[in-house]
Amino acid sequence: MEAFEKNIPICFKIKNLAHLIKRNLNSSLPEESGLTGAQGFVIGYIYNQGGEAFQKDLEKNFNIRRSTITCLLQLMEKNGFIVREFSPSDARLKKIRLTEKAEDAHKKIMEKIYEIDERIAYGISDKEKEMFLDILCKMEQNLN
Amino acid sequence: MEAFEKNIPICFKIKNLAHLIKRNLNSSLPEESGLTGAQGFVIGYIYNQGGEAFQKDLEKNFNIRRSTITCLLQLMEKNGFIVREFSPSDARLKKIRLTEKAEDAHKKIMEKIYEIDERIAYGISDKEKEMFLDILCKMEQNLN
DNA sequence: CTATAATTGTTAGTGTCCTAACATTTAGGA
DNA sequence: TCCTAAATGTTAGGACACTAACAATTATAG
């Protein structure tokens, strides 16, 4: 971006790259399934939790607001990727369970995600990649 | 994110950081102005172009779709940050001009943006920062 | 010159993020 | 116990990204 001349903000570069990643991931997923990248990450998370999770876990893990989670999950429920039910032990909690459809989709989603990882890391050495990830983590912590 | 165990995708980490940046920038801008981070970047770009630009330039520079630009600019026009008029030389083009209000806001926006840049780079050496930016650029190119 | 293609912008509809305001349930303190 | 605070989720409304379909203007090829 030439707009900022020599002083392109780092935050802008990061935002830009994330934007490209999102677009690539979304367009690589089968349209007819109604599955999106964001939903793919949610499925990935719940899958690794053993197929079950509470909304509040998603909230913390993805660092997004409760209302956003509600919205996401309502859509995923509508599209048959999850089922939601109240927890018997605490009526405030809602337990999310993956459906078979989601479990079937999981492997394919992960393939797409790692494909993008490989693609963006093309021509970058393992050492560089490691340093890059370190800095990425530091930056994340710097924003709390 | 523990979800993917040891194999957290890089693309997920980038997406996450960008998300935090966006939230921080948006919440640091004065609410009453109606100004958002995205609009701030648009103002920054047009400002550096001398206060004028065409929609197609924004499209290329920010790598976002025409419909998105239309949507953004309609809002910015409504909020008094820009004025739009047809180009006399080519009636397909729409020329965007910053208003005084936007020019006044520009400096403050840039301060906020560079504040975030400083904040995310806290504890990271200049050399590291440089390498990080290099890799970021490579990754951007890898996604076309 | 005319027909077609390319360029530029809009509209409609959707997904994912936000804040603010609200409701419900559980936990804790007087 | 009872009242208040904390935790969890929803709704409403807005911002910014997308695709697909459309409209208008300009450029180009025959």
Side-chain angles (χ1 to χ4, degrees):
Chain A
M1 193 211 190
E2 315 95 280
F4 299 95
E5 313 287 330
K6 305 287 170 204
N7 258 328
I8 306 168
I10 295 180
C11 63
F12 180 79
K13 298 288 287 179
I14 294 168
K15 168 186 144 85
N16 222 352
L17 182 58
H19 174 226
L20 289 176
I21 287 170
K22 187 175 125 191
R23 195 144 80 189
N24 265 275
L25 181 54
N26 277 327
S27 66
S28 75
L29 292 171
E31 224 174 304
E32 66 281 8
S33 67
L35 192 63
T36 64
Q39 292 173 28
F41 281 118
V42 169
I43 290 175
Y45 172 76
I46 303 175
Y47 188 91
N48 281 59
Q49 299 294 114
E52 284 185 357
F54 293 112
Q55 290 197 197
K56 61 170 185 149
D57 301 326
L58 295 171
E59 190 186 334
K60 274 163 202 149
N61 221 274
F62 290 98
N63 208 338
I64 54 182
R65 303 308 189 195
R66 268 172 291 169
S67 53
T68 304
I69 294 285
T70 295
C71 187
L72 254 173
L73 293 181
Q74 280 173 348
L75 197 57
M76 291 179 74
E77 190 171 32
K78 202 184 93 183
N79 289 341
F81 293 113
I82 58 158
V83 171
R84 288 195 294 172
E85 57 202 22
F86 281 106
S87 164
S89 62
D90 186 337
R92 287 172 304 183
L93 300 172
K94 271 201 180 163
K95 178 174 276 184
I96 318 301
R97 276 209 333 273
L98 292 183
T99 62
E100 249 183 72
K101 182 180 173 185
E103 280 171 6
D104 291 346
H106 175 255
K107 204 181 160 190
K108 280 178 195 167
I109 300 160
M110 283 306 155
E111 269 170 24
K112 294 295 178 192
I113 288 173
Y114 288 118
E115 245 173 65
I116 288 187
D117 257 37
E118 274 181 35
R119 190 161 156 216
I120 61 177
Y122 178 81
I124 295 165
S125 73
D126 284 353
K127 201 184 153 199
E128 281 177 317
K129 212 160 43 172
E130 209 177 305
M131 283 186 322
F132 181 81
L133 269 172
D134 274 356
I135 296 177
L136 220 49
C137 287
K138 267 191 205 168
M139 287 181 168
E140 206 178 319
Q141 283 162 13
N142 284 342
L143 289 181
N144 293 355
Chain B
M1 193 210 190
E2 315 93 282
F4 298 94
E5 315 285 329
K6 304 287 169 205
N7 258 328
I8 306 168
I10 296 181
C11 64
F12 179 80
K13 297 288 287 179
I14 295 168
K15 168 186 142 85
N16 222 352
L17 182 58
H19 175 224
L20 290 177
I21 287 170
K22 186 174 125 192
R23 195 145 78 189
N24 265 273
L25 181 55
N26 277 326
S27 66
S28 76
L29 291 171
E31 224 173 303
E32 66 280 8
S33 67
L35 192 63
T36 64
Q39 292 174 28
F41 282 116
V42 170
I43 290 176
Y45 171 76
I46 303 175
Y47 188 91
N48 281 59
Q49 299 295 111
E52 285 185 356
F54 293 112
Q55 289 197 200
K56 61 170 185 150
D57 301 326
L58 295 170
E59 190 187 333
K60 275 162 202 149
N61 220 274
F62 290 98
N63 209 337
I64 54 182
R65 303 308 189 195
R66 268 173 291 168
S67 53
T68 304
I69 294 283
T70 295
C71 185
L72 255 172
L73 293 181
Q74 280 173 347
L75 197 57
M76 291 178 73
E77 190 171 31
K78 202 185 93 185
N79 289 340
F81 293 113
I82 57 159
V83 171
R84 289 196 293 174
E85 55 203 23
F86 281 107
S87 165
S89 61
D90 186 337
R92 288 172 303 184
L93 300 173
K94 273 201 178 163
K95 179 172 275 183
I96 319 300
R97 276 210 333 273
L98 293 184
T99 62
E100 248 183 74
K101 183 180 174 186
E103 281 172 4
D104 290 346
H106 175 254
K107 203 181 161 189
K108 279 179 196 165
I109 300 159
M110 283 307 153
E111 269 170 24
K112 294 296 180 191
I113 288 172
Y114 288 119
E115 244 173 65
I116 289 187
D117 257 38
E118 274 181 35
R119 188 161 157 215
I120 60 178
Y122 178 81
I124 295 164
S125 72
D126 284 353
K127 201 181 152 199
E128 282 177 317
K129 213 158 46 170
E130 208 177 305
M131 283 185 320
F132 182 81
L133 269 172
D134 274 356
I135 297 177
L136 220 48
C137 286
K138 268 192 203 167
M139 288 181 168
E140 205 178 319
Q141 282 163 13
N142 284 341
L143 289 181
N144 294 353

